[in-house]
Amino acid sequence: MFATPATDGQVSAERSDSVPNLHRSLGRFDIMALGVAAVISADVIGQIATGGGEAVTWTVVLALFFLVPYALLFAETGAAFPQEGGPYVWVRLAFGRTAAALTTLLYWVTNPVWLGGSLVFAAAQAWDGHVTRLGSGTAADYVFKLAFIWISILTAVVSLRRGKWITTIGAIAKVAVMLTVTLTAVGYGFQHGFKGFTSTGFAPTTGGFLALVPILLFAYVGFEAPNAAGEEMRNPRRDVPVSIGVSGGVAACCYLLPVFAILAVVPAGQITGVAGFLDAASLVFGSYGGAGHALLTATSVLFVFVLMTQGSAWMIVSDRMQAMAAADGGFFSRALGAFHPRLGTPVRMNLVSGFTATAFMLAATLLVNGSTAAVFKVVLTVAVTTLLLSYFAVVPALGVLRRTRPEVERPYRVPFGAWGFRISLGLVYAWIVLGSWVALFPGVLERVLGVSYDFNGDWGVSRTVFETFTLGTVAVLLAVGVLGRVVAARLDRRAGVES
């Protein structure tokens, strides 16, 4: 029923078509759309806007000093090393299989955690508030959340030739929704005044910076994700750099413009992380008169669809990475890395993602005491933490590959030669370290820098509950990763396979 990727104990930089049953179906537009669908996180726009006017300032700062160097680094590496599995292969080449397996686990698990936490809660609240009542903890609430998760997984299960159209439509819908709300907000502001600006300022502060850095980094990372399907691209050496450049520019605009528009008409103190975007839409759509309610309902349905395809896009790419790790002997059984012979998708890993997302959704609903907003914020932080931690190995791997494999053709290079690459690498890594620390230990740097910080007031849960979810999740994942590598090595020895 399934075909397992061939592995020979070594990963070659020149290796291509290493996985049977794959089809080269991704063109340049498909790669751009997959990047936009995955990277632009509609669920975090309201969370960013809670930072007030300085959120706009910091969004611009990180776009210039994080997103630009980040995009340059991954455009070069993604074009030079287009093997299936993307970042898994890069870390494997640089640091070995164990480091790659642990890194990929952190990268992969972010997505079922995010799907089963942040995305599904944002979707449920949008549907409950603007389409039909679901309630909280009701049968309807659980049915909606389960359907949301498993439809996202099903999209990843179908062949990429078909599944890519769902994520492409989602990417187009995402840009259309954000553009519609942004333009309507501007029109509303001209009619009724930009009252939001009277209660906020754009001057940056230390407290605002520390609060926004993790979520902005989470919003901007991920443009390397389509490389997980590198051997399903028609011409990755030509298309990857252009696709990252275009999708990066689109992403920056799709964060900056809606946040600016929301803050123009809604005071920052009235914006909630879960519903901030649609609350602003509800206000500004009033300028359409009687049609406003119908337009808001349609926008809310489209918003839920956008969130679903966002989850699907990440499942498509991250499940491929984790499947390659399993097939290479890095995660329990090589059988988990099997690709379906007809669909060309890692169905077994897709199912593992679905069950993980379901379990996390149930845990987030049942075990965290507090409002939906508090649950949303804590679950989102778990996803932020695991994803940022994965870059601790991915980013240095880019530098190692440039130094140790100079013979590999690089169709695109970071401007200004070796120094341009080093400066970009240093900037990106410094941001990742800072964001990871703030996400794991909120309030610590604030205390050192003399910034007041009310933990319970900011998070809606106690530090004990928060650390249980964040540090506890990271500890469990590392333990699972080590166990998975040990089990895989033992199975390989029994089968006489080099591990």
Side-chain angles (χ1 to χ4, degrees), residues 94-95 396-407 410 421:
F95 302 124
L398 310 186
V400 171
L401 292 179
R402 202 177 207 262
R403 187 181 70 252
T404 61
R405 295 178 178 264
E407 76 284 357
R410 292 177 182 261
F421 192 96

Side-chain angles (χ1 to χ4, degrees), residues 46 75 77 92 106 139 165 228 271 273 298 425:
T77 306
R92 171 75 166 84
L106 290 172
W165 291 111
I271 299 173
L425 193 73

Side-chain angles (χ1 to χ4, degrees), residues 98-125:
T98 299
L102 291 174
T103 296
T104 302
L105 177 61
L106 290 172
Y107 192 103
W108 162 76
V109 81
T110 294
N111 300 296
V113 166
W114 186 38
L115 176 63
S118 170
L119 290 180
V120 78
F121 277 88
Q125 183 152 340

Side-chain angles (χ1 to χ4, degrees), residues 26 34-35 37-39 83-89 100-116 119 152-153 155-157 160 167 218 221-230 232-233 308-327 331 336-339 344-354 356-357 383 386-387 390-391 394:
L26 295 178
L34 187 58
V39 174
Q83 291 75 31
E84 191 80 4
Y88 171 76
V89 176
L102 291 174
T103 296
T104 302
L105 177 61
L106 290 172
Y107 192 103
W108 162 76
V109 81
T110 294
N111 300 296
V113 166
W114 186 38
L115 176 63
L119 290 180
S152 296
I153 296 298
T155 304
V157 168
L160 191 56
T167 56
F218 179 78
V221 297
F223 292 103
E224 76 289 341
N227 264 98
E232 294 165 83
M233 298 177 183
M308 185 181 296
T309 55
Q310 199 169 296
S312 299
W314 273 108
M315 291 300 104
I316 287 171
V317 295
S318 65
D319 285 355
R320 278 166 167 75
M321 281 180 57
Q322 188 63 17
M324 292 302 295
F331 186 68
L336 284 174
F339 280 65
T345 55
V347 176
R348 290 172 180 166
M349 193 53 63
N350 294 147
L351 294 177
V352 171
S353 290
T356 303
T386 54
L387 184 60
S390 72
Y391 287 94
V394 174

Side-chain angles (χ1 to χ4, degrees), residues 124-374:
Q125 183 152 340
W127 195 275
D128 181 68
H130 303 286
V131 185
T132 57
R133 291 290 299 169
L134 295 174
S136 179
T138 64
D141 182 42
Y142 281 108
V143 168
F144 176 90
K145 290 174 179 176
L146 288 170
F148 181 95
I149 289 171
W150 285 98
I151 292 174
S152 296
I153 296 298
L154 180 61
T155 304
V157 168
V158 301
S159 67
L160 191 56
R161 285 180 294 180
R162 294 180 174 86
K164 71 178 184 180
W165 291 111
I166 300 174
T167 56
T168 297
I169 293 170
I172 295 170
K174 183 181 298 185
V175 175
V177 166
M178 294 184 182
L179 189 60
T180 299
V181 173
T182 299
L183 292 177
T184 305
V186 171
Y188 181 91
F190 280 117
Q191 287 181 339
H192 303 279
F194 295 97
K195 299 177 181 178
F197 289 153
T198 62
S199 63
T200 189
F202 294 94
T205 66
T206 302
F209 171 74
L210 293 175
L212 287 166
V213 161
I215 194 66
L216 284 172
L217 291 176
F218 179 78
Y220 279 144
V221 297
F223 292 103
E224 76 289 341
N227 264 98
E231 290 173 27
E232 294 165 83
M233 298 177 183
R234 295 191 186 116
N235 194 337
R237 296 184 183 275
R238 180 198 65 191
D239 294 338
V240 166
V242 176
S243 300
I244 289 180
V246 173
S247 56
V250 171
C253 291
C254 282
Y255 286 123
L256 182 61
L257 296 179
V259 168
F260 186 85
I262 290 172
L263 290 169
V265 296
V266 183
Q270 298 178 20
I271 299 173
T272 64
V274 184
F277 183 76
L278 287 180
D279 284 348
S282 178
L283 174 65
V284 301
F285 283 169
S287 60
Y288 294 117
H293 179 72
L295 184 58
L296 177 62
T297 300
T299 300
S300 300
V301 172
L302 201 57
F303 183 76
V304 170
F305 173 72
V306 162
L307 294 178
M308 185 181 296
T309 55
Q310 199 169 296
S312 299
W314 273 108
M315 291 300 104
I316 287 171
V317 295
S318 65
D319 285 355
R320 278 166 167 75
M321 281 180 57
Q322 188 63 17
M324 292 302 295
D328 200 36
F331 186 68
F332 291 101
S333 169
R334 290 179 186 261
L336 284 174
F339 280 65
H340 194 280
R342 181 171 57 84
L343 300 175
T345 55
V347 176
R348 290 172 180 166
M349 193 53 63
N350 294 147
L351 294 177
V352 171
S353 290
F355 288 119
T356 303
T358 300
F360 209 88
M361 179 271 289
L362 295 174
T365 302
L366 298 174
L367 302 182
V368 176
N369 296 316
S371 66
T372 302

